[in-house]
């Protein structure tokens, strides 16, 4: 068994330097990947698969390892620029508009984008095309490069949704079936149990298990097993259903009618309540916070409406204007909202709000286009949108960012009784939010080791640790190890992680 290192960390805030020395080592012998922020290990590649999911913070009330460890030759200087870890953070060039930098992504082509979905950290994106048919495209680098996924066929795709970690996808076809993927879109399975219908939009729980789909001119259908089996929900009636949104756990659903009212469910779609306070309108899209309390609904040729009580009451927000709203997306806490206008009907802009919809800003640098779908990362700092037809555009918040750099050791093979290193880590929090960083090691036998009890990184602070060495005991098992640094937000959603691999022989 491998035993981790003492980590010597430095916080720099203004001119004060607080040296934090901590020795923590806890064994996660019974925890699954989902327990560590939804992370899965792909041993076929060294590329990081960044995830983001709504999970509880990893507990540290586990057995302390009996063997002590040492860290040697440590300093507290800023991390250097030696060999980089398996993933690095890069910022694409683009134009900036009111807090967001927008980049045109041409590698997927200019197409009729009808649906788009994002993992919670914004790194994995899936987009679907139509008019009258097209393929699904996926990206694993926040939209920089794209892969055409032909295995599901060229179809009239109308919806696509993603689990928090981006591995589980579900897509619907107008006049066809629902398709699901468990490998980020590489392969697809046709789900015939719900029937061939005019599927409109879908919603997915954070873990990808619970799916809800609207049928244009029919019923709402739900699945609790990632799309294997489906239940027809007749209590809300057969209607012209359009948009649908879900809480992270899949229990709270909100669906809208094109020419009708808003409906809510608190039991995963078993029963529904008609919500009339927002009026009967031509609703097109709806978004939900992670807990299902904050909702934002968009009406075509109308306004955006907001609810803070799970849909019981609604407020008309006129500051965004009366527009042909097409799609709307929300951060997990409901404070940051983004919506597209135009929708193939006329050129307009992307609009964003950072105060839960009270005020709105036109993202003019992305251009006036026939915008259609939009998706958001869980913290609302990364947006991705498509048009009809346009290229895909990605927006990154320039006023709220966190930079995490992990530098791997130059030599990634170490003998038992030797020292792994030097490696270093720097986290610069220039956002207005607070984050927490945990360090882990994943062993060849599948055991998670927790190396610290969580380091708080407040707004404006920098965490820096360099020239770190880890002693590997003579009793350590041989094989490939993974060193992880995972950053969580205050809701214990995984913001992002980085890792490097090394071999003990």
């Amino acid at each position: 068994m491998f035993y981790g290192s003492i980590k010597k960390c430095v916080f720099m805030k203004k001119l004060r330097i607080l040296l934090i020395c901590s020795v923590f080592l806890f064994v996660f012998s019974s925890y699954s990947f989902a327990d560590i922020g939804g992370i899965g290990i792909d041993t076929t590649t060294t590329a990081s698969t960044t995830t983001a999911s709504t999970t509880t913070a990893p507990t540290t009330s586990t057995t302390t390892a009996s063997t002590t460890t040492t860290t040697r030759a440590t300093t507290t200087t800023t991390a250097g620029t030696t060999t980089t870890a398996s993933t690095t953070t890069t910022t694409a060039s683009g134009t900036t508009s009111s807090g967001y930098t927008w980049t045109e992504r041409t590698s997927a082509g200019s197409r009729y984008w009808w649906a788009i979905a994002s993992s919670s950290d914004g790194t994995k994106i899936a987009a679907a095309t139509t008019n009258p048919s097209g393929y699904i495209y996926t990206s694993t680098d926040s939209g920089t490069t794209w892969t055409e996924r032909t295995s599901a066929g060229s179809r009239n795709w109308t919806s696509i949704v993603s689990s928090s970690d981006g591995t589980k996808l579900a897509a619907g076809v107008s006049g066809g079936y629902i398709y699901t993927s468990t490998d980020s879109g590489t392969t697809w399975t046709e789900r015939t149990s719900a029937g061939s219908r005019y599927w409109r939009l879908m919603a997915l729980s954070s873990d990808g298990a619970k799916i809800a789909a609207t049928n244009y001119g029919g019923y709402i259908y739900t699945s609790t097993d990632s799309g294997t089996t489906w239940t027809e929900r007749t209590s809300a009636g057969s209607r012209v259903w359009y948009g649908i949104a879900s809480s992270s756990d899949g229990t709270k659903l909100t669906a809208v009618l094109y020419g009708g009212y808003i409906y809510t469910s608190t039991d995963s779609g078993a029963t529904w309540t008609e919500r009339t306070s927002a009026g009967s309108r031509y609703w097109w899209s709806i978004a939900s916070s992670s807990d299902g309390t904050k909702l934002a609904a968009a009406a075509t040729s109308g306004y955006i409406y907001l609810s803070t009580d799970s849909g019981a009451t609604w407020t008309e927000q006129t500051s965004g204007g009366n527009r042909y709203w097409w799609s709307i997306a929300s951060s997990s806490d409901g404070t940051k909202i983004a919506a597209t206008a135009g929708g193939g009907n006329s050129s307009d802009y992307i609009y964003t709000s950072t105060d839960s919809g009270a005020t709105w800003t036109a993202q003019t640098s992305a251009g006036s286009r026939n915008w259609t779908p939009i998706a958001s990362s869980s913290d609302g700092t990364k947006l991705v949108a498509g048009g009809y037809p346009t290229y895909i555009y990605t927006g990154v918040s320039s006023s709220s960012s966190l930079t995490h750099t992990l530098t791997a050791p130059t030599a990634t093979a170490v003998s038992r009784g030797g020292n792994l290193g030097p490696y270093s880590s720097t986290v610069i929090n220039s956002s207005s939010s607070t984050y927490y960083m945990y360090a882990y090691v994943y062993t060849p036998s599948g055991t998670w080791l927790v190396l610290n009890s969580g380091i708080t990184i407040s707004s404006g602070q920098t965490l820096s640790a360099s020239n770190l060495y880890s002693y590997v005991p003579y009793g350590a098992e041989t094989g490939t190890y993974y060193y992880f640094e995972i950053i969580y937000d205050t809701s214990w959603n995984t913001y992002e992680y980085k890792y490097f691999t090394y071999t003990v022989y």
Side-chain angles (χ1 to χ4, degrees), residues 332-352:
S332 61
D333 62 2
T335 60
K336 295 180 180 178
I337 308 173
T340 57
N345 204 38
S346 61
S347 293
D348 208 327
Y349 294 104
I350 295 170
Y351 293 81
T352 59

Side-chain angles (χ1 to χ4, degrees), residues 109-200:
S110 178
R111 306 181 187 280
Y112 289 86
W113 302 107
W114 195 267
I116 204 161
S118 171
S119 60
S120 288
D121 67 350
T123 59
K124 290 186 176 181
I125 307 171
T129 59
T130 185
N131 193 40
S133 62
Y135 292 106
I136 290 172
Y137 292 75
T138 62
S139 173
T140 58
D141 53 12
S142 300
T144 303
T145 60
W146 292 83
T147 301
E148 184 180 71
R149 302 299 188 178
T150 59
S151 62
S154 177
R155 306 182 188 280
N156 186 14
W157 301 106
T158 54
S159 62
I160 194 164
V161 287
S162 171
S163 60
S164 287
D165 63 5
T167 59
K168 292 183 178 180
L169 303 174
V173 176
S174 180
Y177 294 104
I178 288 173
Y179 292 74
T180 62
S181 173
T182 57
D183 52 13
S184 300
T186 303
T187 60
W188 293 82
T189 301
E190 184 181 72
R191 302 298 188 177
T192 59
S193 63
S196 176
R197 307 184 187 280
Y198 290 97
W199 300 110
R200 190 51 63 188

Side-chain angles (χ1 to χ4, degrees), residues 439-498:
Y440 305 92
V441 164
Y442 183 73
T443 71
S445 61
T447 299
W448 284 99
L449 307 178
V450 184
L451 303 186
N452 65 16
S453 62
I455 300 170
T456 301
I457 310 170
S458 301
S459 174
Q461 288 186 320
T462 296
L463 166 67
S464 180
S466 63
N467 294 328
L468 297 173
Y469 287 81
S470 297
Y471 172 70
V472 179
Y474 285 100
E477 62 179 307
T478 59
T480 300
Y481 289 77
Y482 295 77
Y483 172 80
F484 280 90
E485 290 182 352
I486 307 177
I487 297 177
Y488 299 89
D489 63 20
T490 54
S491 298
W492 297 112
N493 303 311
T494 305
Y495 178 78
E496 61 101 74
Y497 69 78
K498 296 190 184 300

Side-chain angles (χ1 to χ4, degrees), residues 3-269:
Y3 296 96
S5 66
I6 297 175
K7 192 155 185 137
K8 197 170 188 178
C9 303
V10 176
F11 272 108
M12 298 181 191
K13 187 175 182 183
K14 297 181 181 179
L15 298 178
R16 297 170 54 197
I17 299 178
L18 175 62
L19 180 63
I20 304 176
C21 298
S22 56
V23 183
F24 297 99
L25 180 60
F26 303 99
V27 179
F28 262 69
S29 58
S30 62
Y31 281 66
S32 68
F33 294 152
D35 295 314
I36 313 294
I39 295 173
I41 304 297
D42 179 4
T43 58
T44 63
T45 176
T46 58
S48 162
T49 306
T50 309
T51 68
S53 57
T54 304
T55 57
T56 55
T59 178
T60 55
S61 58
T62 47
T63 305
T64 302
S66 57
T67 303
T68 59
T69 61
T70 59
T71 300
R72 304 175 56 163
T74 60
T75 68
T76 59
T77 59
T78 303
T81 55
T82 57
T83 305
T84 57
S86 54
T87 58
T88 56
T89 302
T90 58
T91 302
S93 60
T95 55
T96 302
S97 177
S98 300
Y100 282 88
T101 299
W102 291 91
T103 303
E104 182 183 73
R105 304 298 189 176
T106 60
S107 63
S110 178
R111 306 181 187 280
Y112 289 86
W113 302 107
W114 195 267
I116 204 161
S118 171
S119 60
S120 288
D121 67 350
T123 59
K124 290 186 176 181
I125 307 171
T129 59
T130 185
N131 193 40
S133 62
Y135 292 106
I136 290 172
Y137 292 75
T138 62
S139 173
T140 58
D141 53 12
S142 300
T144 303
T145 60
W146 292 83
T147 301
E148 184 180 71
R149 302 299 188 178
T150 59
S151 62
S154 177
R155 306 182 188 280
N156 186 14
W157 301 106
T158 54
S159 62
I160 194 164
V161 287
S162 171
S163 60
S164 287
D165 63 5
T167 59
K168 292 183 178 180
L169 303 174
V173 176
S174 180
Y177 294 104
I178 288 173
Y179 292 74
T180 62
S181 173
T182 57
D183 52 13
S184 300
T186 303
T187 60
W188 293 82
T189 301
E190 184 181 72
R191 302 298 188 177
T192 59
S193 63
S196 176
R197 307 184 187 280
Y198 290 97
W199 300 110
R200 190 51 63 188
L201 294 176
M202 306 174 73
L204 189 64
S205 60
S206 177
D207 60 3
K210 293 181 178 180
I211 312 174
T214 58
N215 174 22
Y216 190 86
Y219 294 105
I220 292 173
Y221 289 74
T222 62
S223 173
T224 58
D225 53 12
S226 300
T228 303
T229 60
W230 292 83
T231 301
E232 183 181 72
R233 301 300 189 177
T234 59
S235 63
S238 176
R239 306 177 188 277
V240 184
W241 296 107
Y242 224 92
I244 192 167
S246 171
S247 59
S248 291
D249 62 4
T251 58
K252 291 183 178 180
L253 300 176
T254 308
V256 296
L257 292 175
Y258 187 74
Y261 294 106
I262 295 173
Y263 288 73
T264 62
S265 173
T266 57
D267 52 14
S268 301

Side-chain angles (χ1 to χ4, degrees), residues 409-420:
T410 304
T412 56
V414 59
S415 63
R416 289 180 289 185
N419 291 302
L420 174 70

Side-chain angles (χ1 to χ4, degrees), residues 100 120-122 330-333 335-336 376-382 397 400-402 433 435 489 493 495:
Y100 282 88
S120 288
D121 67 350
S330 171
S331 60
S332 61
D333 62 2
T335 60
K336 295 180 180 178
S376 172
S377 60
S378 64
D379 63 0
T381 61
K382 293 181 180 180
S397 174
S400 177
S401 62
L402 182 142
S433 303
Y435 295 92
D489 63 20
N493 303 311
Y495 178 78

